[in-house]
Amino acid sequence: MTNNRERLFAASDVVEAGGWRAELRNDEIADISYGGIPVLRGIRAVVRDRDWQTLVPVVRAVERLPAGEGTRLVLDIEFDGFGCQYNAALSIVFSADSLVVVFEGESPADFQSNRIGLVVLHRPDDAGRDVLIGGRSGDLTPSRFPVEISPHQPFQNVASMQWQRDGVDFNLAFTGDVFETEDQRNWTDASFKTYSRPLALPFPMDVPAGSRVSQSVTLTASTGQEPQPETSRVGDLAITSDVVSVVPALSMPVASTLEPQAESGVLQGVESVLVELVAGAPKVAELAKQAAEQAKALQVPLDVRISAETPGQVPGLLQLVPTRNVARLGVFHSTSHVTEPDLWKALKSAADEAGLTTSLIAGARSHFTELNRNAHLLPSDAEALVYSITPQMHATEVPHLVESLPMQRLTARNALRISGGRPLHVGPVTLKPRFNAVSTSGGLDGTAEASCDPLQAEPFAAAWMLGSIAALSIPGIRSISYFEATGPCGISSSTGLTPAGNILSSIAAQRGRNILGTQGSRRGLVLYPVQAEDGIALYAANLTANRKTESVQLPDGTSTDLVLEPWTAIFQHIPVERRTT
């Protein structure tokens, strides 16, 4: 519980110097602004192992010093995890019109890494913004941050970047390596990321003991007038009578740990039980059997996802499930994680031979990234597309998890563009990755048990899931699958449903009902109003570390009060006499 509380209520240190303002969150310089104008999502140092796993940064000491009329911070950081260690010093100097970050790192032992050094996280609302890219040879190339999620790097060979926001010219200069930019919205991160060691170079790279890395990033601002930050009026909170979508079907995967469903933890209202059958995985037959038993107990069909290396493995995996009770059936390559043509052909043949008339789906069993990069491979005769979501591909801090929620809606809109009108089945949606989709050494390839986030059983998981459901409840989303049925990654246990389980069960019962519109906004507040037969079923979540008390105007002109504790989700029933018809 201590670790959970430290994550949910993590301390931050506000730094203000010159025109700059930023928050120091552990090792990250976050939410950087100048003269009240938002500039960058953040700057931080990262160390990633040969499987792209991010070593955990621990700040051993912070020294705060005067620097002329500005401020200098010096951080002593130790990176640790996955059998690797790395040491670094981070110097951050805030002055009148510049912010300079210098990274000096040294390896205490031999290891292999795919990336070491500074990364700059650009704001997601930079999408569509013009930017001038400076190359290593001094050339300047006009470009633009992509609006649609870019499957590949929009900027390469980056030595500098220049752009304008609210009348201020900003410039970034990089030293120590060749940098490039990727669209992290592919993984639901709320950022574009400029990083070093281009992906075109071989990886992993050997990092000998005693080897050093030195890099810097310099951010400058210049203006001939006072900055004029944009202001926006949030307005009163209100629920309107407009219908914006319908509640999608909700489902859950069977427990990967093969833990039985407890009597007190039975979840009602779900549309299906999802099971992933990976060729060569241990106990795959037992997993299929438990999924079938769970689906029978809940009187719902199975959603079967097959992962195979070769077409010949597909029929055998399909035989593990009762085909008479399969609602959807999909197939993916165990390494590329997408539906490849030969596997699709094998799936159709096996389904025909089994007399199956179920819905055949295609897409990616991993992130939206793989769907976006391999859209050309997807079969045109698939009835629907699918991809999964996890907010912790790159960062585990709670602010990053919360910021991923609007990006989930963006991936869904982009996936619907790729689908060409076909519906989407999103999931599994999990707090931590089910497997390492980019491992170079085998790693978690889907055959090993995935690790689970300790926040899974906390009210936070319910609040975050409600934010996810709200983000993904748009026309074209047919179903969403969350977490697992039981176990450490589950929504139920021997003592009953978790907070997430209670919210999921309640919303699952609203399937197909109209979702009403909302007006106004508050940071970290999620409103999900559903038009029920006898009134409004109002779900709300507080995704902040502070208690919230809000008044929400209803369609008939009256109002209802909400009181939400930090990191919690609630349900409130509003009777029909208080709702306009």
Side-chain angles (χ1 to χ4, degrees):
M1 184 63 186
T2 302
N3 288 337
N4 286 345
R5 184 167 183 82
E6 287 177 357
R7 285 179 70 193
L8 293 172
F9 298 94
S12 65
D13 184 15
V14 174
V15 182
E16 293 183 290
W20 301 100
R21 186 187 190 278
E23 286 190 31
L24 181 63
R25 301 175 187 163
N26 193 33
D27 69 311
E28 180 182 16
I29 311 107
D31 293 340
I32 300 168
S33 64
Y34 177 79
I37 297 171
V39 184
L40 294 175
R41 168 60 189 82
I43 302 174
R44 71 188 313 172
V46 300
V47 179
R48 308 194 74 181
D49 74 357
R50 65 165 295 148
D51 291 318
W52 293 106
Q53 298 175 116
T54 304
L55 276 64
V56 177
V58 177
V59 178
R60 295 182 293 199
V62 179
E63 191 175 10
R64 191 163 183 160
L65 305 166
E69 297 181 0
T71 298
R72 182 185 182 208
L73 302 176
V74 180
L75 279 62
D76 179 12
I77 307 174
E78 180 180 284
F79 298 86
D80 189 35
F82 315 105
C84 306
Q85 268 193 331
Y86 198 81
N87 300 321
L90 200 65
S91 169
I92 309 148
V93 179
F94 295 84
S95 59
D97 59 0
S98 68
L99 169 57
V100 181
V101 182
V102 177
F103 172 85
E104 298 285 349
E106 183 174 355
S107 177
D110 296 349
F111 79 110
Q112 288 189 311
S113 172
N114 292 342
R115 179 169 300 150
I116 298 174
L118 293 171
V119 299
V120 172
L121 303 179
H122 307 269
R123 296 174 54 85
D125 60 6
D126 278 332
R129 191 178 304 280
D130 291 332
V131 59
L132 194 62
I133 304 298
R136 299 285 290 182
S137 61
D139 54 306
L140 296 174
T141 304
S143 192
R144 179 173 295 176
F145 283 99
V147 175
E148 304 293 353
I149 301 176
S150 176
H152 302 290
Q153 286 74 9
F155 315 134
Q156 294 179 307
N157 186 33
V158 177
S160 67
M161 307 175 78
Q162 301 173 40
W163 71 98
Q164 188 179 81
R165 184 174 184 133
D166 300 341
V168 179
D169 293 318
F170 294 101
N171 183 84
L172 272 171
F174 303 88
T175 69
D177 205 338
V178 178
F179 286 72
E180 62 186 22
T181 305
E182 71 182 9
D183 194 337
Q184 285 205 134
R185 301 175 301 170
N186 274 293
W187 295 273
T188 72
D189 294 73
S191 59
F192 303 91
K193 179 175 70 181
T194 300
Y195 58 90
S196 66
R197 190 164 177 86
L199 291 177
L201 297 178
F203 61 85
M205 59 181 175
D206 292 325
V207 183
S211 61
R212 298 183 61 83
V213 171
S214 178
Q215 294 181 357
S216 73
V217 171
T218 300
L219 172 64
T220 56
S222 59
T223 178
Q225 56 187 7
E226 285 295 314
Q228 300 294 322
E230 294 180 0
T231 58
S232 59
R233 186 176 181 273
V234 294
D236 296 331
L237 289 175
I239 297 171
T240 72
S241 56
D242 300 329
V243 175
V244 296
S245 190
V246 297
V247 178
L250 299 180
S251 67
M252 62 180 182
V254 67
S256 58
T257 52
L258 292 175
E259 297 192 22
Q261 180 79 37
E263 285 289 330
S264 59
V266 172
L267 183 76
Q268 301 294 337
V270 295
E271 178 256 4
S272 61
V273 172
L274 188 151
V275 59
E276 298 181 276
L277 304 178
V278 180
K283 300 183 179 179
V284 64
E286 291 93 328
L287 186 67
K289 181 181 178 182
Q290 180 160 305
E293 291 173 350
Q294 198 164 84
K296 183 178 179 181
L298 294 174
Q299 298 183 331
V300 297
L302 288 167
D303 183 338
V304 180
R305 314 283 176 87
I306 290 173
S307 295
E309 289 283 346
T310 65
Q313 295 171 329
V314 174
L317 290 170
L318 183 57
Q319 290 173 6
L320 297 177
V321 295
T323 52
R324 65 185 179 278
N325 191 36
V326 175
R328 289 183 291 277
L329 178 62
V331 67
F332 315 96
H333 194 277
S334 300
T335 303
S336 71
H337 314 299
V338 297
T339 304
E340 298 195 350
D342 57 343
L343 293 175
W344 180 251
K345 183 178 179 180
L347 182 73
K348 292 175 63 177
S349 176
D352 287 343
E353 190 170 326
L356 215 59
T357 57
T358 187
S359 174
L360 299 183
I361 61 176
R365 71 172 182 137
S366 53
H367 316 92
F368 172 74
T369 315
E370 283 72 37
L371 185 79
N372 200 18
R373 292 176 176 174
N374 296 282
H376 61 286
L377 292 177
L378 304 180
S380 59
D381 55 341
E383 296 180 34
L385 296 187
V386 63
Y387 69 97
S388 297
I389 288 176
T390 173
Q392 297 190 59
M393 176 65 180
H394 298 111
T396 61
E397 294 89 350
V398 167
H400 288 273
L401 272 62
V402 173
E403 292 167 354
S404 77
L405 295 172
M407 300 302 104
Q408 292 187 22
R409 173 166 289 196
L410 184 64
T411 63
R413 293 197 183 283
N414 276 257
L416 286 168
R417 170 179 53 82
I418 291 170
S419 75
R422 290 172 289 179
L424 290 178
H425 297 280
V426 181
V429 180
T430 55
L431 285 176
K432 293 194 77 173
R434 305 181 331 279
F435 59 93
N436 187 346
V438 291
S439 171
T440 65
S441 62
L444 288 178
D445 60 357
T447 63
E449 293 179 3
S451 57
C452 299
D453 196 307
L455 292 173
Q456 182 68 53
E458 297 288 327
F460 169 83
W464 185 87
M465 184 189 68
L466 179 58
S468 174
I469 293 172
L472 295 171
S473 291
I474 61 176
I477 303 293
R478 191 67 54 83
S479 76
I480 319 170
S481 180
Y482 284 97
F483 305 139
E484 290 185 357
T486 56
C489 300
I491 54 177
S492 65
S493 67
S494 58
T495 59
L497 295 175
T498 66
N502 281 312
I503 290 292
L504 191 145
S505 183
S506 179
I507 296 179
Q510 312 283 358
R511 186 198 326 172
R513 289 180 172 166
N514 291 335
I515 303 169
L516 300 177
T518 60
Q519 292 179 347
S521 65
R522 299 290 187 274
R523 188 184 70 85
L525 178 67
V526 176
L527 296 179
Y528 191 72
V530 179
Q531 192 170 42
E533 291 181 3
D534 57 347
I536 295 176
L538 177 58
Y539 299 87
N542 177 9
L543 285 162
T544 75
N546 302 308
R547 191 171 188 261
K548 282 185 177 290
T549 301
E550 301 286 354
S551 180
V552 181
Q553 185 175 331
L554 303 172
D556 63 357
T558 61
S559 62
T560 188
D561 293 327
L562 297 177
V563 179
L564 296 103
E565 298 302 321
W567 309 117
T568 58
I570 64 171
F571 164 70
Q572 180 172 307
H573 178 260
I574 303 171
V576 67
E577 59 266 24
R578 299 182 67 184
R579 173 176 59 85
T580 56
T581 58

